[in-house]
């Protein structure tokens, strides 16, 4: 991801910038030491140290592939004879340290921005996942409600079928038992009317 890439670049830049700043600062301190020496003092030891530091600076520039650092090391190498008396080179070195700090600050700001973007994307993803869960739950609930309604319909249909069968059974019993009862009733009516007619005569 963008954040991982930028965070890796930032960590690498912190290490690289730390090495470069330490070397540049030691060169600045060495130049200040040489400058503080009296004009007739022997500066050969200090100048050899300065030359060694410039060579280290060139090596570091080659390793980190920084053209400005390489140009600074080359310029310092070219003016090595006047280096001890020149504040300009020390100012350039300090300016380069400032550039390193600014570069690191810009990388850090980019990492912070990428981290904020990543957090925002994670929040969106979490919301999306929650929406998917909510939709799935709503779908399950609707499916369950449909199944419950279907079971109620089936139950009512079963009750209707049972009632129809009960009606048919009772109706069949009625049609089977009613004619004989009706005949018995007619016979009893006839007997009662004969008995009444005999009793009244």
């Amino acid at each position: 991801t963008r954040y991982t890439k930028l965070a890796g670049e930032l960590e690498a830049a912190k290490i690289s910038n730390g090495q470069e700043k330490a070397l540049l600062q030691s060169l600045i301190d060495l130049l200040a030491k040489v400058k503080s020496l009296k004009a007739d003092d022997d500066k050969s030891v200090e100048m050899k140290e300065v030359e060694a530091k410039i060579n280290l600076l060139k090596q570091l520039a080659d390793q980190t592939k920084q053209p400005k650092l390489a140009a600074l090391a080359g310029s310092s190498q070219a003016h090595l004879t006047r280096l001890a008396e020149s504040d300009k080179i020390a100012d350039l070195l300090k300016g380069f340290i400032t550039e390193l700090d600014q570069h690191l600050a810009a990388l850090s700001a980019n990492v912070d921005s990428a981290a904020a973007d990543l957090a925002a994307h994670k929040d969106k993803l979490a919301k999306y996942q929650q929406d998917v869960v909510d939709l799935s739950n709503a779908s399950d609930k609707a499916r369950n409600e449909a199944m419950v309604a279907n079971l109620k319909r089936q139950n009512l249909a079963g009750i209707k079928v049972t009632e129809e069968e009960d009606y048919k059974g009772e109706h069949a019993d009625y049609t089977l038992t009613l004619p004989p009862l009706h005949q018995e009733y007619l016979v009893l009516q006839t007997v009662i009317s004969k008995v009444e007619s005999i009793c009244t005569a």
Side-chain angles (χ1 to χ4, degrees), residues 3 49 60 92 97 106 117 127 142 147 158 176 190 196 198 201:
Y3 170 75
E49 283 183 51
L60 189 59
L92 287 173
I97 289 176
D117 289 346
K127 184 182 180 321
M147 287 172 53
L176 289 174
T190 307
E196 283 180 356
I198 293 175

Side-chain angles (χ1 to χ4, degrees), residues 126-143:
K127 184 182 180 321
Y128 171 76
Q129 289 172 336
Q130 185 60 45
D131 289 347
V132 167
V133 168
D134 291 345
L135 287 173
S136 177
N137 289 344
S139 173
D140 290 345
K141 182 179 177 185
R143 187 173 28 257

Side-chain angles (χ1 to χ4, degrees), residues 8 13 36 38 54 83 144 158 193:
S36 70
K38 295 179 184 169
I54 290 174
L83 196 57
N144 288 340
S193 64

Side-chain angles (χ1 to χ4, degrees), residues 122-194:
K122 282 183 179 180
D123 289 344
K124 285 180 184 177
L125 179 61
K127 184 182 180 321
Y128 171 76
Q129 289 172 336
Q130 185 60 45
D131 289 347
V132 167
V133 168
D134 291 345
L135 287 173
S136 177
N137 289 344
S139 173
D140 290 345
K141 182 179 177 185
R143 187 173 28 257
N144 288 340
E145 287 173 356
M147 287 172 53
V148 167
N150 191 30
L151 288 174
K152 283 181 183 177
R153 273 193 303 278
Q154 289 176 0
N155 187 32
L156 291 174
I159 291 171
K160 180 183 175 203
V161 167
T162 303
E163 287 177 352
E164 285 177 355
E165 288 174 358
D166 288 348
Y167 171 78
K168 287 178 185 175
E170 288 176 13
H171 183 68
D173 287 345
Y174 175 75
T175 55
L176 289 174
T177 57
L178 182 63
L181 285 176
H182 187 60
Q183 287 176 351
E184 290 174 12
Y185 175 74
L186 289 175
V187 170
L188 281 174
Q189 280 294 87
T190 307
V191 169
I192 290 174
S193 64
K194 293 235 181 207

